[in-house]
Amino acid sequence: DPPPEAAWQAARALLLTLGALDRNGQATPAGRAMVRLPLHPRLGRLLLRAEELGSVAVGADLAALLSERDIFRRTDFEAAGPQEKPDISDRLDRISAWRQSGRASKEVDPGALQAIDRVSRQLMHLMGKRRRSSPEDRAASIPRLLLSAYPDRIAKKRDDGMNRFLLRGGRGVSISQGGTLAGNLYIIAVHVDAGKKAEGV
């Protein structure tokens, strides 16, 4: 059965935004490369951009992190979810610390860390990188990589609230009051839940 027209148009618009299709609806070289990666088109675009920037290890970690379950535990129904720890960089720091020490803090799920590490290694292999080399400039790479995958999720802080932002398309989102991102003028809202809570960088 054909997909609903609205869903079809939304998917096509996303692929155009990511540079996977040209204006005639034909696959671009980037689009053909994205098809070969076992990832959502957003994350495929992210990994290709990582290759362009020489940041494949960071890109593989980000793509794995965004495609697997969250590393932070939820102890009960009322516990704080990922939206209470909205900074993607914090998650990458936890993964790096775990790789170095072999230990995870109580709030982090070791099984999720292992799954992310496994997927990251697989993605690096697909991109022709066998192992992690010298440290990359992760702080500079993260926003550039996320912007390549989520160009439609740039959000500007509203004037009337520290934790409230407005997405490019006009939708309002908020992040945790205690989050480190709340003071930024702009964020990239990678995850937006039904309650319009955002997570990003």
Side-chain angles (χ1 to χ4, degrees):
D1 295 334
E5 183 63 21
W8 174 261
Q9 292 302 329
R12 188 175 187 277
L14 175 61
L15 293 174
L16 281 165
T17 301
L18 296 176
L21 295 179
D22 62 24
R23 295 195 178 278
N24 297 319
Q26 300 300 309
T28 63
R32 288 190 289 274
M34 288 161 63
V35 167
R36 294 193 291 270
L37 298 171
L39 294 166
H40 185 281
R42 288 188 187 274
L43 301 183
R45 185 67 189 93
L46 183 154
L47 208 51
L48 293 180
R49 182 64 174 145
E51 185 176 44
E52 294 167 8
L53 296 175
S55 299
V56 173
V58 176
D61 278 351
L62 271 174
L65 179 63
L66 294 170
S67 61
E68 296 296 309
R69 73 178 186 274
D70 192 54
I71 65 171
F72 288 113
R73 298 178 188 271
R74 292 193 68 173
T75 54
D76 55 57
F77 184 77
E78 297 296 327
Q83 69 273 11
E84 300 304 323
K85 299 180 184 294
D87 193 344
I88 294 293
S89 299
D90 183 37
R91 287 164 170 77
L92 290 177
D93 289 342
R94 302 296 182 105
I95 294 167
S96 294
W98 169 77
R99 283 183 178 134
Q100 291 174 5
S101 69
R103 296 187 300 273
S105 60
K106 291 182 180 179
E107 63 182 350
V108 174
D109 180 355
L113 290 171
Q114 291 168 4
I116 288 167
D117 186 60
R118 181 174 60 252
V119 171
S120 178
R121 284 187 278 110
Q122 290 170 346
L123 293 175
M124 287 178 62
H125 180 75
L126 281 174
M127 299 302 289
K129 189 163 183 175
R130 304 297 182 198
R131 59 187 177 84
R132 297 174 192 282
S133 54
S134 58
E136 299 168 2
D137 188 356
R138 193 173 69 184
S141 297
I142 292 170
R144 295 172 75 182
L145 295 177
L146 291 179
L147 184 59
S148 70
Y150 299 90
D152 54 331
R153 298 280 186 84
I154 300 171
K156 183 178 181 181
K157 185 166 62 174
R158 291 179 182 265
D159 295 332
D160 59 350
M162 275 292 291
N163 68 327
R164 298 177 61 198
F165 292 79
L166 193 65
L167 290 168
R168 275 180 54 184
R171 180 181 179 188
V173 296
S174 64
I175 59 177
S176 169
Q177 285 279 13
T180 57
L181 300 180
N184 291 347
L185 180 59
Y186 290 94
I187 64 170
I188 301 170
V190 173
H191 289 149
V192 180
D193 69 18
K196 299 183 181 179
K197 286 282 188 180
E199 171 189 329
V201 66

